[in-house]
Amino acid sequence: MNRALLVISLIFPPLAYADEAEDESNIPDGPRVGVGIGIRAPTDSLAPNVASVRIRAKDGFDLEPEIGLHLRHAGYQGAEELDLGRSGSRTAYFGLDGRFRVARRGDLELMAIARLVGGAYAIRTEAPGSPDTTNRGTHGALGWGLGAQWWASPRLCLSGDLRSEVFSVGRGQTVIDGGEPSATSTSFNASLALQPSARVMAHVMF
């Protein structure tokens, strides 16, 4: 029997050691908890702007609570260096993803994502000769997405996602020159089209 295995291993090494290679996979087969940081687009910087905890509840299923903060600033210049004003925005959010493995090849997993997210935003606009305006509000949504994650080792997981909202509800207000809200709006949206936001992450698992 040993001689037969030796002959097979010389002719078809992948076949002879298929079981051994599967046992050496970096993908953990038990519960793990990881802490990660990453970049979520759109952003004006390559600095990390999102952090999450990824919980591998069992083989092929992850839960991922996520928090994020986005800061954006812009200035506008007209002809002859005229100052046309500036704007800035702040967005903070909390999300929870359920990640389900739909395919696997080696240490690479393809994941389907179900998502719940809520957050708040503020956008301030300043223009010469006009009152300063702040738009602020809250936002909640249900979404879906697709992701891929590669296990560089049992303790390091690198991933990339495209996630899109299916149903969302929001409430916004407009405030002029720090006064009382002058307008309030409520919105509801539903769409099955993929209008994704992109994210790349690195998680250290424990």
Side-chain angles (χ1 to χ4, degrees):
M1 181 64 68
N2 291 336
R3 292 182 180 179
L5 181 60
L6 177 60
V7 172
I8 293 175
S9 67
L10 292 175
I11 301 176
F12 302 109
L15 179 61
Y17 295 103
D19 292 338
E20 181 180 347
E22 186 71 19
D23 293 341
E24 293 178 355
S25 171
N26 289 325
I27 299 177
D29 57 4
R32 289 287 182 93
V33 176
V35 178
I37 60 173
I39 301 173
R40 180 173 181 249
T43 179
D44 295 332
S45 166
L46 293 180
N49 59 5
V50 62
S52 75
V53 175
R54 185 169 294 176
I55 304 168
R56 170 137 289 209
K58 64 178 183 178
D59 185 28
F61 174 67
D62 302 334
L63 281 174
E64 185 175 355
E66 171 190 7
I67 57 173
L69 177 64
H70 296 261
L71 302 176
R72 304 189 74 180
H73 301 278
Y76 306 98
Q77 298 291 331
E80 299 180 357
E81 299 300 320
L82 293 176
D83 185 4
L84 300 183
R86 58 191 56 84
S87 67
S89 67
R90 302 187 307 272
T91 302
Y93 70 92
F94 172 82
L96 177 63
D97 288 2
R99 303 168 60 88
F100 307 85
R101 185 173 68 204
V102 295
R104 170 182 172 180
R105 186 175 182 86
D107 293 324
L108 183 67
E109 295 179 298
L110 178 65
M111 311 296 288
I113 301 170
R115 178 166 173 77
L116 172 66
V117 63
Y121 66 89
I123 303 173
R124 182 173 178 81
T125 303
E126 302 173 1
S130 300
D132 297 342
T133 302
T134 300
N135 295 300
R136 64 192 182 196
T138 56
H139 177 82
L142 297 174
W144 69 285
L146 293 173
Q149 54 194 43
W150 175 62
W151 293 86
S153 76
R155 292 191 174 274
L156 177 61
C157 182
L158 307 177
S159 61
D161 306 321
L162 292 175
R163 302 176 300 180
S164 182
E165 296 179 357
V166 175
F167 175 80
S168 64
V169 57
R171 182 177 177 85
Q173 294 179 328
T174 300
V175 180
I176 299 178
D177 269 345
E180 294 297 321
S182 60
T184 301
S185 62
T186 302
S187 63
F188 299 90
N189 295 291
S191 175
L192 294 178
L194 183 61
Q195 300 173 336
S197 63
R199 183 189 71 156
V200 292
M201 299 288 295
H203 284 85
V204 177
M205 311 299 291
F206 301 95

